[in-house]
């Protein structure tokens, strides 16, 4: 059974804190993605990675960075959290260039920045 | 630039009835794939159905079917015999078969099924 896990379902942080969101997949997928989801805006891509140590900016990378040291793990980092980063964060993974296959999603992390 | 448009922020349907959720897309590519996902209140994104741009038949998966009209650039999701458990957000997404494996998502439609 395919599985993408995220380190926390709910997280509350203070403005200025450094925040790490972890994502792990057990499907040997090359691609991993971080999205944020806000009401009325759908899912927006923050960063993605198609290989270890490789990363590419998505549509809204400002204020975020990522790390992929191992194939199965993709971390999203908020260097200095701000209230406008309060959102739902979804991680996903997929096979490289398997265009007919879906992306597999984790359960999401609902982050609140106070 | 590729874009997905879902014009229905919310839809209501009675149990056992069919419902159509609209999705239009914009792309200059000839090769692309279209996906529908369901997101219950618990938050996880559940893959429902896929349609490739070269597929001649409309995709079907159980009670879900995709009404693909290529010339009109529409990919509507049809849910037959709605159930209370179908109440959720539904997202349409597109992937271009180019140099990237990214998905572009629409803004979603919230479906509520009532008894």
């Amino acid at each position: 059974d395919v599985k993408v896990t995220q380190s926390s379902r709910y997280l509350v942080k203070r403005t200025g804190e450094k925040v790490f969101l972890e994502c792990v997949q057990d499907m040997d997928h090359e691609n991993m993605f971080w999205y944020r989801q806000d009401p009325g805006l759908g899912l927006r891509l923050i960063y993605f990675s198609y290989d270890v140590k490789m990363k590419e900016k998505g549509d809204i990378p400002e204020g975020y960075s990522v790390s992929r040291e191992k194939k199965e793990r993709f971390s999203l980092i908020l260097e200095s959290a701000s209230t406008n980063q309060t959102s739902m964060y979804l991680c996903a993974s997929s096979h490289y260039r398997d265009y007919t296959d879906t992306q597999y999603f984790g359960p999401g992390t609902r982050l609140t920045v106070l | 630039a590729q874009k997905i448009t879902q014009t229905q922020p919310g839809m209501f349907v009675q149990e056992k009835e069919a419902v159509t959720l609209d999705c239009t897309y914009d792309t200059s590519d000839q090769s692309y794939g279209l996906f529908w996902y369901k997101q219950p209140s618990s938050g996880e994104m559940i893959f429902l159905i896929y349609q490739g741009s070269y597929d001649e038949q409309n995709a079907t998966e159980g009670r879900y079917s995709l009404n693909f009209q290529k010339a009109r650039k529409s990919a509507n999701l049809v849910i037959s015999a709605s159930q209370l458990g179908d109440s959720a957000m539904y997202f349409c997404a597109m992937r271009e078969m180019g140099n990237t494996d990214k998905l572009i998502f629409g803004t979603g439609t919230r479906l509520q099924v009532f008894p």
Side-chain angles (χ1 to χ4, degrees):
Chain A
D1 197 18
V2 297
K3 200 154 187 184
V4 179
T5 57
Q6 295 183 229
S7 48
S8 307
R9 290 301 303 270
Y10 299 93
L11 208 52
V12 179
K13 294 292 182 181
R14 298 211 171 269
T15 302
E17 279 192 79
K18 190 168 186 175
V19 181
F20 292 87
L21 302 182
E22 302 281 337
C23 176
V24 177
Q25 51 95 4
D26 65 359
M27 295 165 282
D28 202 34
H29 283 163
E30 296 82 10
N31 297 329
M32 295 189 76
F33 307 84
W34 274 107
Y35 296 92
R36 80 174 267 176
Q37 181 182 2
D38 300 288
L41 297 177
L43 275 72
R44 295 178 292 166
L45 183 64
I46 305 172
Y47 268 97
F48 68 104
S49 167
Y50 53 88
D51 201 353
V52 175
K53 296 193 188 296
M54 305 299 289
K55 62 184 179 185
E56 288 203 22
K57 293 180 180 179
D59 301 316
I60 51 164
E62 296 79 19
Y64 304 94
S65 62
V66 291
S67 172
R68 192 158 180 209
E69 297 296 319
K70 294 185 176 181
K71 189 176 185 180
E72 67 271 17
R73 188 179 298 268
F74 192 35
S75 302
L76 180 70
I77 303 155
L78 287 66
E79 294 288 342
S80 177
S82 64
T83 54
N84 62 14
Q85 292 179 308
T86 292
S87 187
M88 174 74 142
Y89 291 87
L90 290 161
C91 174
S93 69
S94 69
H95 276 303
Y96 184 69
R97 293 288 185 265
D98 187 349
Y99 297 116
T100 65
D101 197 14
T102 179
Q103 289 183 9
Y104 296 87
F105 284 83
T109 295
R110 195 168 292 280
L111 173 68
T112 302
V113 182
L114 301 175
Chain B
Q2 50 179 319
K3 187 179 177 181
I4 292 283
T5 302
Q6 295 180 253
T7 56
Q8 306 155 315
M11 291 282 286
F12 288 90
V13 66
Q14 191 166 31
E15 208 176 0
K16 300 189 178 70
E17 297 293 310
V19 63
T20 297
L21 306 184
D22 293 342
C23 173
T24 57
Y25 59 92
D26 189 16
T27 180
S28 55
D29 250 22
Q30 296 301 309
S31 300
Y32 50 89
L34 296 154
F35 299 79
W36 276 93
Y37 293 87
K38 172 185 177 181
Q39 187 182 42
S41 56
S42 53
E44 76 274 23
M45 295 283 282
I46 302 167
F47 166 69
L48 296 177
I49 196 165
Y50 165 80
Q51 178 87 41
S53 58
Y54 293 115
D55 293 341
E56 294 185 355
Q57 304 265 10
N58 284 344
T60 60
E61 291 285 349
R63 294 186 298 110
Y64 304 107
S65 61
L66 200 153
N67 184 1
F68 182 46
Q69 298 188 43
K70 195 169 181 177
R72 298 180 61 184
K73 293 189 174 179
S74 76
N76 298 338
L77 178 71
V78 181
I79 305 174
S80 62
S82 297
Q83 302 171 357
L84 295 178
D86 293 335
S87 295
M89 282 290 288
Y90 289 81
F91 291 95
C92 181
M94 177 173 66
R95 174 190 286 148
E96 288 182 343
M97 312 306 195
N99 296 321
T100 176
D101 292 350
K102 294 189 294 183
L103 284 175
I104 302 297
F105 285 84
T107 53
T109 296
R110 182 171 296 283
L111 176 67
Q112 295 191 53
V113 182
F114 59 93

